[in-house]
Amino acid sequence: DQAQSTINGLMNAVNTLDYYKTQLGSLDSYIGKFQDVNYYKNSPCFTAAGCSDAERAALRNVAQLASESQKKANDAFVQGLDRQQTNLTADAATLQRLQSAAQGAQGQMQAIGYANQLASQQANQLLQIRGLLIAQQNAMATKMQADADKEAQQAAAAAQLRQGSYRASPARTW
């Protein structure tokens, strides 16, 4: 039974949430870096007043965080895939060995023992699948969050661009 080894390996490969918590103090702090349209509409950076250097730097930091987060999530996903490819051959060999041994079992107790080992192997594989799904969801969520923040900035900029009032020119006769 290699469940603990599987869990540890997958968590090391795909656990980017702990990285964000460590880097920014908490997951809420990380999530709070990404904003919605209303936030950006009220930001001086998206009004005629313009940004201060600090506000411009904050926008650059969010863009940099989004890029780093996407890279880290994608790296974790690829590492999880690599680990699975490595484990696949070993898992297949273990499964074949267990099936062969179960077929040649002498007595009920030995057969039950092999059945338990097969069940343990299946549980181990389910953990691996779960780890891959978490890595995939993490990569997708990170991309969606960065995309939503960028779209919010673009929507606020577009609204500011279209904002204003129309004033007809005075009528002139020649």
Side-chain angles (χ1 to χ4, degrees):
D1 189 2
Q2 299 174 349
Q4 193 59 46
S5 173
T6 299
I7 292 168
N8 291 341
L10 285 172
M11 289 306 292
N12 289 334
V14 302
N15 195 1
T16 54
L17 291 179
D18 277 345
Y19 171 79
Y20 303 138
K21 290 175 189 175
T22 302
Q23 291 296 98
L24 299 170
S26 71
L27 191 56
D28 287 339
S29 180
Y30 169 74
I31 292 170
K33 298 286 184 186
F34 301 96
Q35 303 299 330
D36 62 6
V37 175
N38 290 328
Y39 172 85
Y40 289 118
K41 278 184 179 178
N42 295 320
S43 169
C45 296
F46 294 90
T47 64
C51 274
S52 68
D53 289 340
E55 291 163 332
R56 215 175 350 273
L59 284 175
R60 279 194 304 273
N61 288 341
V62 168
Q64 182 178 347
L65 177 63
S67 176
E68 289 172 1
S69 298
Q70 286 178 340
K71 172 76 169 112
K72 196 157 239 356
N74 290 341
D75 288 352
F77 183 62
V78 171
Q79 288 170 351
L81 288 174
D82 181 55
R83 188 169 186 88
Q84 287 308 303
Q85 283 184 319
T86 302
N87 289 346
L88 191 59
T89 304
D91 289 347
T94 300
L95 184 59
Q96 187 175 24
R97 179 185 56 78
L98 287 172
Q99 285 175 335
S100 179
Q103 287 174 350
Q106 302 292 321
Q108 189 176 7
M109 287 304 290
Q110 195 176 25
I112 290 172
Y114 287 126
N116 285 339
Q117 289 180 33
L118 283 166
S120 177
Q121 181 70 10
Q122 288 175 332
N124 190 25
Q125 291 174 350
L126 288 173
L127 284 173
Q128 292 176 29
I129 291 168
R130 187 174 176 190
L132 282 174
L133 289 172
I134 289 169
Q136 181 183 25
Q137 289 171 340
N138 187 13
M140 287 173 42
T142 302
K143 173 137 180 54
M144 289 169 47
Q145 196 166 29
D147 288 349
D149 190 74
K150 186 176 182 179
E151 288 170 9
Q153 288 181 17
Q154 291 171 346
Q160 175 60 30
L161 181 68
R162 290 188 298 272
Q163 185 178 341
S165 59
Y166 171 76
R167 188 178 62 205
S169 299
R172 295 201 170 191
T173 56
W174 302 94

